[in-house]
Amino acid sequence: MKRATRTLLAAACVLGAVTGPAALPAAASPAPGGTVNTTAPPRADPGTARTDPATAALEAAVAGLPAADTTAALVRVGGTDGVWRGSAGVHDLTSGRAADPRARFRVGSVTKVFTAAVVLRLAEEGKVDLDRSVRAYLPDLIPASYGGVTVRQLLDHTHGIPAADFPGSTVEEWYANRFLVHDPVAMVRSATAKEREFAPGERQHYLNIGYTIAGLLVERVTGDAYERQLARLVLRPLGLRDTYAPGADPRIAGPHNHGYQRMTLDDGTTGLRDVTVWGVTDGWAAGDLVSTTADLERFTDALFRGRIVPRGPLLEEMFTVPKVTTFPGGKPAEYAVGLARKVLGGREVWGKTGGRWGYNAAVASTRDGSRTLVYSVNSTDAKGRDVSRVALDLMVAAYGPPS
């Protein structure tokens, strides 16, 4: 696919990607002790339906891994349109053994869908009013200058609160600070000390800060830790045993495939560094979860069926995009509460992507559940401006090109 075509598709297809620093040089230098030239062919799980016409496109999307831009991919497609499950690439570049299809991985901003579901469940229980000011719940944290921000505006990114400050401006500096432990209260104070970007409800700007505040809101109205409420309302009822919040632990517990990031190495050359161990407290309720494709598929199916947030006005919040434009850019808004909307292959697709260093993830589905897609892609520039080639090809293979 030509670069111009891929750029157009990327702009139209990605369901809520978080952009980061400029993409690093694309030279295919291997990590020390590993290679990016060995091909591990995609493997379909036993029992996978082979009648789906998308099968060939899905297999092609993950063929040839590991490659310079992606070391592994785990994919699950489900729904009444057909089923396909596959994995490709390697567990790590040093051993070269096949990627573990049951591996845990960092889901990044897919965490926001979980957090949104928790807040909506608390609204169902009468503990949260989506139309109420956030300051009414957190008067000691949210200053009067942000007193007009409602709970709903936190969740659909129309709050106007700028991003918190973090040390570093390059991937190398962020890597050096990867074990810093960030306090969510301090992050919120850093953000709300600044002038607002726009009046609440006037524009939409996708940022983590709204969901950081939402996590603190959950703790305030329940008197309990966000992580325990997440387990009570979502993880335990669905039996998501491989999904967890790591807290300050920078490691991924249990089986996992390694993540790599292209950056300047200690000897001054550009290459791949193993970034599997990296703290995620900067993400917290906006982006810290670890999960598996099986758990994410179960979560997605349950969410769209109304088994987490009950069908009705509260669930519709997740499929209602505010009629505003983006900040900056002035394009039509795309985010609802937790989810983002795209039109692919002539039909609406709702979902969320996420990125942490070494890992890209996504959940997506049509409203009727006829086609669901979950993937983990070990991109070597997972938070770069350029969308992962493999992730983009998987989205188009599953749903078709943007309309």
Side-chain angles (χ1 to χ4, degrees), residues 37-73:
N37 296 319
T38 302
T39 298
R43 301 179 300 163
D45 289 354
T48 294
R50 305 295 291 182
T51 57
D52 187 349
T55 295
L58 290 165
E59 290 179 343
V62 298
L65 301 184
D69 58 354
T70 306
T71 60

Side-chain angles (χ1 to χ4, degrees), residues 199-224:
E202 183 180 82
R203 306 284 293 277
Q204 185 175 79
H205 189 189
Y206 179 88
L207 291 170
N208 281 350
I209 191 63
Y211 279 76
T212 302
I213 299 172
L216 293 170
L217 172 68
V218 168
E219 296 194 330
R220 183 64 60 89
V221 301
T222 63
D224 194 12

Side-chain angles (χ1 to χ4, degrees), residues 233-306:
L233 295 169
V234 180
L235 304 187
R236 284 201 299 270
L238 296 182
L240 305 184
R241 298 181 179 85
D242 289 311
T243 303
Y244 74 98
D249 190 345
R251 299 164 297 181
I252 300 175
H256 57 276
N257 300 316
H258 286 229
Y260 297 86
Q261 170 63 39
R262 184 166 300 284
M263 66 173 74
T264 302
L265 304 178
D266 295 340
D267 61 3
T269 63
T270 298
L272 298 182
R273 188 186 293 275
D274 191 322
V275 293
T276 307
V277 180
W278 192 312
V280 292
T281 54
D282 60 316
W284 192 48
D288 75 347
L289 289 184
V290 171
S291 190
T292 63
T293 54
D295 270 13
L296 289 183
E297 185 177 59
R298 181 179 295 185
F299 170 74
T300 303
D301 180 71
L303 182 68
F304 280 66
R305 288 176 181 269

